[in-house]
Amino acid sequence: MVKAQLIIKNAIYFAGTTFKNGDIIVNNNIISQIEAPGSFTGTAERVLDGKGLLVLPGVIDSHVHFRDPGRCDREDFSSGSVAAASGGVTTVIEMPNVIPPPYSAEQIKKRIAIGEQKSLIDFSFYAAAGYDNRNNYDEMKACGISAFKTFLHAPPKGREAEFMGLTAENTGELFAVLQKAAGVDGRFFFHCENESLINELEKQLHKQGKEGYDFHYNSRPNVAEAQSVATIIELARATGAKVGICHVSTAEAAELIKRAKADGLDIVAEACYHHLLFSHADIDRLGPYAKCNPPLRSAQNVEALWKYVTDGTIDYLGSDHAPLLADEKKSGEHHIWQAFSGIAGVEVMVTLIVNEWHKRHLCQKQMVRLLSENAAKAFGFYPRKGKIAVGSDGDFTIINPSVSRQLSIEQMYSKAAVNNKIFEGLTVNNTIAYTVSRGQVVAEDGKVDMSLRGRGQFIMTNRGGVKNA
Ligand SMILES: [Zn+2]
């Protein structure tokens, strides 16, 4: 009898609409059979005892920055993907602000080659969708990418080459981007914060000498996000483009998205888990180490945002893993505005979300949709990813829900782990027992098999992401 690649015996797994118990068999990277628990009699190269464990479809992190090429001192595809795998993530979608950005088919192909050379897990990209390269969208789409990202500000003076294809400087250029987007079978994503509003408030705060750690969130209030989301919604309505809002952090913005969805607009929304777990109090305590954009919000807003997670306005969760050098954070200890923005939490996202879900007694089925299924749909990977069913990839995030442990920077793989003070010492009620990518165990109890770097595949998408309603 031919040996299977992998069997997970006696697994409690998510079967699309409900949790079931069964034996899952993977062959040639793909789930080939699901049998009644204990009934599979064949052998396999690897047998996992699923008893007491929770088997989720492999988690997709919709938002990571691996800085490769261009800033591999901060992170690279190897270290970033290892960190992701350690934390139970099996697919990442990587952001285009690298040097040079992926603004053409030629640049996209170069990035795919880097990923295939270094990545431990499967990956896709956001293509750079600026005003200047808007005639390249179709050729980038033809490379198998359906997600595009536009930055809503001018390229910093003297750094134009670094920002090639990333920016729309004003509402007119943004409109032109979305006019073009409407003809592309893809989805266009935005970081929504109104830059000029923030610049004005920064000036006011400096003038008033209000320069404590609260400078950061006081210069980037909720209205800066809501105003920017409103612009995207109206331009999408006018042009017919499919859009997505990255890291929605305010109840005001979420409410606008909820209404736009009710109107039938094709829009998806991501929330990043740090906006759901941390608040102003963490910035007051940790300063630059809790500095990210959009900023952590008030405790009251955090609770309000949870309502939009549970009512389905937020489609999926990401980490916005944004690694930085130690000095780039330390420089803000005295003057917070001098620190770079970003939290690098790809490797603790899943464990913290599972922990929080348990604490809040929320629906586990919805947790699976937010961590995997909905992103797979939005980015055009479904049902290859995001589903445990015969014919889908053998990607699993396997949780042990009955171990208490403390998170520690020392156990983290990211090059930027030293900055992760916000996670240090947090207690969680679970471990990531196994991370399985296409039938191969790539991490066990958070420990990664480093010899597997370079096995990750670029995941092609052939459609622009299905509507999530
Ligand atoms: Zn980001």
Side-chain angles (χ1 to χ4, degrees), residues 30-75:
I30 289 166
I31 300 171
S32 57
Q33 282 167 268
I34 300 178
E35 304 286 340
S39 69
F40 185 72
T41 53
T43 56
E45 287 162 34
R46 185 80 200 257
V47 180
L48 302 182
D49 180 3
K51 198 157 183 269
L53 306 180
L54 192 61
V55 181
L56 310 181
V59 169
I60 298 170
D61 190 337
S62 55
H63 192 150
V64 300
H65 299 263
F66 285 169
R67 318 289 199 200
D68 191 352
R71 287 306 306 265
C72 294
D73 50 340
R74 290 173 169 172
E75 195 80 284

Side-chain angles (χ1 to χ4, degrees), residues 289-368:
Y289 303 99
K291 181 181 178 185
C292 58
N293 296 335
L296 302 177
R297 302 294 183 180
S298 71
Q300 190 189 9
N301 185 87
V302 170
E303 288 313 309
L305 186 60
W306 270 104
K307 293 202 183 82
Y308 295 95
V309 171
T310 51
D311 79 3
T313 301
I314 300 297
D315 293 281
Y316 50 86
L317 302 174
S319 72
D320 196 2
H321 180 78
L324 295 161
L325 300 180
D327 283 349
E328 291 172 331
K329 282 295 191 188
K330 202 172 172 41
S331 62
E333 285 180 2
H334 295 294
H335 301 294
I336 192 166
W337 63 87
Q338 287 176 351
F340 283 69
S341 291
I343 295 176
V346 69
E347 60 202 292
V348 289
M349 172 172 78
V350 178
T351 198
L352 282 167
I353 287 291
V354 170
N355 182 67
E356 191 69 15
W357 233 259
H358 180 78
K359 252 171 56 184
R360 290 175 178 265
H361 307 290
L362 298 176
C363 170
Q364 271 195 327
K365 294 176 197 173
Q366 199 189 14
M367 182 183 81
V368 175

Side-chain angles (χ1 to χ4, degrees), residues 118-163:
K118 296 184 178 179
S119 188
L120 186 94
I121 54 169
D122 292 347
F123 59 90
S124 186
F125 298 110
Y126 293 82
Y131 176 73
D132 292 337
N133 69 326
R134 64 196 186 285
N135 290 325
N136 296 349
Y137 299 166
D138 280 317
E139 66 174 49
M140 295 194 286
K141 169 72 193 169
C143 295
I145 283 184
S146 67
F148 295 80
K149 175 98 184 272
T150 311
F151 289 68
L152 305 178
H153 56 77
K157 288 255 172 314
R159 295 174 62 193
E160 285 76 7
E162 273 178 49
F163 282 78

Side-chain angles (χ1 to χ4, degrees), residues 419-446:
N419 296 326
N420 276 345
K421 298 182 198 295
I422 198 163
F423 305 119
E424 180 73 11
L426 294 182
T427 301
V428 290
N429 69 343
N430 66 86
T431 57
I432 311 299
Y434 301 99
T435 307
V436 182
S437 166
R438 285 180 279 105
Q440 190 162 28
V441 176
V442 296
E444 216 168 317
D445 243 336

